[in-house]
Amino acid sequence: MNILHKFKETAISVLPVMAIVFLLGFTIVPLEPSLLLKFFISGILLIVGLTIFLLGVDLGIQPMGERSGAELTKRKDLSFLLVIAFVIGFIVTIAEPDIQVFADQVRGVFPSVGKVTFTFIIAGGVGLFIMLGLLRTVTNLSLKWTLFISYTILFVLIFFAQDSFTAIAFDSGGATTGPMTVPFIMALGLGVSSVRAGKQDNSFGLTGISSIGPVLAVVIYAIAAGGGGGPSTSSGTPVAGLGTPVAGLGVPEPVEGQQITVFASALYESFTSIAPLFVMFIVFQFLLLKMTARQVFRMLIGFVYSFVGLAVFLGGVYGGFMQTGKLLGEAFGTLAFQRGGIWTFLLILTGLLLGAIIVCAEPAVWCLSEQVETVSGGTIKRKMLLVFLSVGTAVAIGLAMWRAIAGFNIKWLLIPGYAISMLLMLFCPELFTGIAFDSGGVASGPLTSTFVLSFALGAAQSSSGSNDSFGVIALVAMMPLIAIQIMGIVYKIKTSKNKQGGQSV
């Protein structure tokens, strides 16, 4: 097993985040020693949990997705494939822990928005656009035209929706692509493309397309509901039995004597994430896959690893990482508000550093980067992909910190950002466009949407008194679209020069 290799890689990703927090916590933004100890323990749990989770994905979830996609395609029944794709998208989205957190957050600010209704709307959007993505793969439709038309429709409708729902809609696209949905969706697309399209690189873009669905669904919901009512003056919805919620997040903030409850919550969320995929595995095994006993046993081990790893990972996130991020953001925001100048610069700089580092610790990012390197035959190096993704995420978090202080409308960043993304598609190879839009979804995983979101919310509340934390995930999901496509253009230029050099020899 490559567990030691995965442990080393995850440690390299998480330890720099811990180093930054300890440096700040012991110097310019002092934090309580007990909080820093809790943060240290949580960081170790993150490393261990992420290692076990990724091992489980390799053994169980990814092979299941690939086999399912391949077998569904071999039946040569397009209607059956699309219906099953919708069901899969709907079920895994409802079970995604990030969606439960996000729905609570929206309900905390807009009390008239029902959590179940909102969750079903998002899940329906994901299901429909997974259907669209697989239809594109099967029929070899242009990925660029699919993305361009979808985003054009989306941005036209945005102008008819209430401004307060714009950030919520784009955040929902990032929240759907969590640690369970991404590996399975990517593997499903890989299985379909390898059989029907004849080339595996045609699978990239499915996660990016599926991320459009919930954004469009929420925008349509906002238009139909007239904005869902006005925002409340406070955010953060109590969760029965789960302690005190972090304001605006709807997830438990660890308080004295309630650490056991927090880890019980992590176990519950891990179970609700794994269970739907496991049920689908059982159904697909009898009706579709019909694998040998040895293959089934291997996948069962993978599911067990995934469950344990995700539980430990979420336990670390909720047990100290998220709380530390919020308090660090509050302290920084207070200094920036009271003193301005250099403190505002340091706040934005900290956001840049955290964004550059923390994205590399996301489970889904590791799954995507490994698949990119495998499918490309090693021509697209994982380390290079992570560098460009880190730069994009760093800029996104820096912009989020700036907005937390200034408090301007998120549209002033989203509209030009996506316009640049559409323009870059004209010059970028389609493979990299697919990778870029997939990266936009995977970058906004549970670690980013808890620690970084908490940090931004704390800064906004302490500096401007705003409870509007929406928009952070939207920016994190947007910037990789630009960064990775720039990487693709650079790769295209270098490849062209190498070919010319080879011909001249």
Side-chain angles (χ1 to χ4, degrees), residues 359-420:
V359 68
C360 294
E362 290 289 2
V365 167
W366 284 97
C367 295
L368 174 65
S369 61
E370 288 180 355
Q371 189 186 78
V372 168
E373 191 170 62
T374 300
V375 172
S376 66
T379 57
I380 303 175
K381 300 298 182 182
R382 181 173 59 181
K383 290 183 179 179
M384 184 58 65
L385 178 67
L386 291 175
V387 167
F388 276 85
L389 190 56
S390 295
V391 172
T393 307
V395 174
I397 302 303
L399 291 172
M401 294 301 103
W402 177 34
R403 180 172 176 260
I405 300 297
F408 53 84
N409 194 317
I410 191 70
K411 286 182 180 179
W412 291 105
L413 295 175
L414 291 178
I415 292 176
Y418 276 95
I420 293 172

Side-chain angles (χ1 to χ4, degrees), residues 241-275:
L242 296 184
T244 306
V246 174
L249 290 178
V251 293
E253 175 181 324
V255 293
E256 292 298 326
Q258 293 187 332
Q259 288 292 335
I260 296 178
T261 308
V262 169
F263 280 97
S265 174
L267 284 170
Y268 173 76
E269 289 191 4
S270 179
F271 176 78
T272 55
S273 296
I274 295 292

Side-chain angles (χ1 to χ4, degrees), residues 4 22 41 43 62 65 119 129 145 193 205 242 268 315 322 332 406 491:
L4 292 178
F22 278 117
I41 297 173
Q62 188 166 327
T119 302
F129 272 72
W145 276 109
S193 63
L242 296 184
Y268 173 76
M322 188 168 60
F332 243 130
Y491 179 87

